[in-house]
């Protein structure tokens, strides 16, 4: 069931930089290792509703309901624009600065989870990704999808942790230059705006 082909496909998907990766890197650079770990955990938790939707068949409803898809999509767009603002706002939760943000780990986790929860394409992605790797036995299809989804989540967490730890290691170098911090804050904001624009153009 868990084939080398599935592991390779999942690894390529997880490794590709997306919104969750950008958020985790921003937290690692801005607040250090602990915040990056919470961000990685939150992004992974945000996958659960989409995996459940795929297993229960709700993703198919989302795919066929233009209204539901649009509502979720623009909620995600609004949230990404909010994150862009937080990256450039003085004292924003994603802004890089020498002092660490006072946000709790769970607050960081919730913000990270929302990034994935508000992305309707994830449900449709799981609906497309998992079935080709099932055995074809109807009686075990549900448990197989859950198992494959769990492996995907574990891989997501591991890769995001590596991204976050890398960013945290670079934190001291970045904090040594106000110019670099300003450039990175603006860059992260621009990336979130670009991701919001791409999500706004998505169709079910």
């Amino acid at each position: 069931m868990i084939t080398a082909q599935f592991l390779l496909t999942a690894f390529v998907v997880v490794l590709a930089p997306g919104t969750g990766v950008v958020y985790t890197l921003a937290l690692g650079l801005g607040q250090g290792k602990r915040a990056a770990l919470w961000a990685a955990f939150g992004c992974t938790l945000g996958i659960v509703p989409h995996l459940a939707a795929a297993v229960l068949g709700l993703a198919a409803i989302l795919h066929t309901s233009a209204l539901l898809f649009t509502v979720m999509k623009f909620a995600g767009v609004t949230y990404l624009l909010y994150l862009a603002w937080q990256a450039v706002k003085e004292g924003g939760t994603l802004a890089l600065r020498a002092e660490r943000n006072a946000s709790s780990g769970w607050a960081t986790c919730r913000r990270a989870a929302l990034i994935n929860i508000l992305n309707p394409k994830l449900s449709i992605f799981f609906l497309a990704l998992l079935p080709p790797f099932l055995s074809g036995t109807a009686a075990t299809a549900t448990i197989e999808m859950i198992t494959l989804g769990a492996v995907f989540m574990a891989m997501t967490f591991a890769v995001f942790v590596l991204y976050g730890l890398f960013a945290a290691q670079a934190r001291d170098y970045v904090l040594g230059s106000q110019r670099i911090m300003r450039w990175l804050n603006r860059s992260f904001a621009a990336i979130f705006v670009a991701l919001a624009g791409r999500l706004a153009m998505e169709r079910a």
Side-chain angles (χ1 to χ4, degrees):
M1 180 178 62
I2 301 176
T3 63
Q5 186 180 6
F6 171 77
L7 293 175
L8 179 60
T9 301
F11 180 70
V12 170
V13 170
V14 170
L15 195 63
T19 313
V21 169
V22 174
Y23 181 80
T24 303
L25 288 173
L27 264 293
L29 284 169
Q31 300 180 36
K33 179 172 66 176
R34 180 177 175 275
L37 293 177
W38 277 108
F41 182 58
C43 287
T44 305
L45 281 183
I47 295 173
V48 174
H50 298 287
L51 176 60
V55 171
L56 297 173
L58 297 178
I61 298 175
L62 182 64
H63 183 61
T64 57
S65 173
L67 176 60
L68 180 58
F69 182 87
T70 301
V71 169
M72 279 196 67
K73 179 177 73 173
F74 281 103
V77 168
T78 301
Y79 188 61
L80 289 174
L81 293 176
Y82 166 77
L83 291 179
W85 170 242
Q86 289 299 312
V88 294
K89 173 187 174 185
E90 184 70 28
T93 55
L94 291 182
L96 274 65
R97 53 189 180 277
E99 69 277 10
R100 295 180 187 272
N101 193 290
S103 295
S104 70
W106 281 113
T108 299
C109 180
R110 286 195 301 271
R111 286 192 292 267
L114 278 174
I115 288 174
N116 279 339
I117 291 172
L118 294 177
N119 183 359
K121 295 297 287 186
L122 268 180
S123 292
I124 298 170
F125 165 77
F126 276 117
L127 195 64
L129 175 70
L130 301 184
F133 297 101
L134 301 181
S135 66
T137 304
T140 59
T142 298
I143 190 64
E144 287 178 18
M145 288 187 74
I146 293 173
T147 302
L148 291 174
V151 171
F152 183 88
M153 288 177 61
M155 194 175 292
T156 297
F157 180 70
V159 170
F160 278 36
V161 164
L162 291 177
Y163 273 125
L165 293 180
F166 170 78
Q169 284 296 110
R171 174 178 162 82
D172 291 339
Y173 170 75
V174 170
L175 294 181
S177 170
Q178 288 291 330
R179 182 179 179 183
I180 291 177
M181 283 196 291
R182 285 196 301 270
W183 181 83
L184 282 173
N185 283 334
R186 293 167 184 169
S187 296
F188 281 127
I191 292 171
F192 281 123
V193 169
L195 290 168
R198 188 177 72 176
L199 179 58
M201 299 299 291
E202 292 282 4
R203 296 185 179 182

